[in-house]
């Protein structure tokens, strides 16, 4: 985490006005809507538009897409007007740059991590993505990307340039987010299943608890770094 920089908390996979309001009222910096049909958090662009109208101006709006082409991304941006595109598939650095140009929006590229070797891909994306999300690799037989509620070994991130800002995802929840922030020193955290009572069903109490725990842990790390 860069000392003195704002720490970002993103709640992803929101699908109802009620839980969106909880996230916003609790201080989420970013809210994410999922457009991958195989995900239990999938919502239509029409539904996302209704939710985005609530969030706009209160938090940054992120549209999560998986292996879309430039036309699809451009059409979604025109309809939804998100602040960010989150690329959660197998997009190459070249495709990432192309989507960024076509959509005219900053992009966050998610990279799956299971071993130290997986971090070798980070450098290839640093110049084509505006933000990197280090997420847990999905199980081999998974129907959709993401951490599936399973964290990876955060100590692997000690190999990264300490001045490199990244967001951390994958298996985070209210109980472990403080330890994740202490060990990994990310610039922000991204949670989805960790604040749910069932796949795709956000739990308001867990959202509140997660944001409070993350904010407290980030403040402690920043105070320690500046001491």
């Amino acid at each position: 985490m860069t000392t003195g920089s704002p720490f970002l908390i993103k709640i992803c996979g929101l699908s109802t006005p009620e839980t969106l309001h909880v996230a916003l009222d609790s201080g989420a910096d970013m809210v994410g809507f999922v457009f991958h049909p195989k995900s239990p958090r999938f919502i239509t662009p029409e539904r996302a538009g209704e939710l985005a109208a609530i969030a706009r101006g209160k938090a940054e709006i992120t549209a999560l897409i998986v292996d879309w082409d430039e036309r699809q991304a451009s059409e979604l941006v025109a309809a939804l007007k998100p602040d960010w595109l989150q690329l959660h598939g197998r997009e190459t650095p070249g495709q990432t740059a192309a989507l960024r140009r076509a959509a005219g929006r900053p992009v966050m590229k998610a990279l799956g991590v299971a071993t130290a070797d997986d971090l070798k891909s980070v450098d290839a994306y640093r110049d084509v993505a505006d933000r990197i999300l280090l997420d847990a690799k999905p199980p081999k037989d998974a129907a959709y990307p993401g951490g599936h509620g399973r964290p990876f070994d955060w100590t692997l991130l000690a190999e990264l340039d300490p001045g490199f800002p990244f967001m951390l995802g994958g298996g985070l929840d209210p109980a472990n987010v403080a330890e994740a922030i202490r060990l990994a020193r990310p610039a922000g955290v991204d949670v989805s299943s960790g604040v749910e009572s069932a796949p795709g069903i956000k739990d308001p109490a867990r959202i509140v608890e997660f944001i409070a725990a993350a904010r407290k842990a980030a403040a402690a790390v920043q105070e320690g770094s500046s001491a």
Side-chain angles (χ1 to χ4, degrees):
M1 186 190 310
T2 304
T3 303
S5 62
F7 186 83
L8 300 173
I9 299 175
K10 177 171 171 281
I11 308 296
C12 197
L14 291 157
S15 60
T16 69
E18 293 78 15
T19 53
L20 174 59
H21 277 297
V22 169
L24 295 172
D25 292 345
S26 299
D29 302 289
M30 305 179 76
V31 293
F33 306 126
V34 176
F35 298 98
H36 187 53
K38 292 183 179 180
S39 170
R41 299 161 193 93
F42 169 75
I43 58 174
T44 64
E46 293 75 21
R47 178 64 165 165
E50 297 170 2
L51 297 175
I54 297 171
R56 202 171 308 282
K58 300 172 183 175
E60 291 188 310
I61 297 163
T62 304
L64 188 156
I65 59 177
V66 178
D67 296 321
W68 281 25
D69 61 30
E70 294 155 67
R71 177 188 58 79
Q72 289 173 297
S74 297
E75 289 177 354
L76 178 64
V77 166
L80 184 65
K81 297 178 174 59
D83 299 294
W84 288 82
L85 285 183
Q86 181 170 327
L87 310 184
H88 229 291
R90 298 178 179 177
E91 299 89 359
T92 65
Q95 290 167 331
T96 298
L99 286 164
R100 185 191 195 190
R101 287 193 301 269
R105 287 293 188 277
V107 300
M108 181 190 307
K109 179 67 182 92
L111 300 175
V113 179
T115 70
D117 282 346
D118 294 317
L119 296 174
K120 294 177 181 177
S121 64
V122 170
D123 283 343
Y125 288 90
R126 288 178 68 163
D127 292 333
V128 295
D130 299 274
R131 191 169 290 161
I132 299 292
L133 168 66
L134 298 179
D135 198 3
K137 267 191 172 179
K140 290 184 179 180
D141 58 349
Y144 56 93
H148 291 251
R150 303 176 183 179
F152 63 93
D153 181 0
W154 303 313
T155 63
L156 295 173
L157 304 182
E159 302 301 317
L160 289 176
D161 174 357
F164 169 56
F166 64 91
M167 291 191 74
L168 179 68
L172 300 179
D173 60 34
N176 68 15
V177 67
E179 181 71 357
I181 291 169
R182 185 183 70 81
L183 288 174
R185 306 296 180 99
V189 288
D190 187 349
V191 68
S192 188
S193 63
V195 291
E196 293 179 346
S197 56
I201 308 299
K202 291 291 185 285
D203 182 323
R206 288 180 68 81
I207 292 173
V208 173
E209 188 180 355
F210 180 90
I211 292 175
R215 199 67 75 193
K216 180 178 179 180
V221 169
Q222 288 193 330
E223 287 172 7
S225 298
S226 59

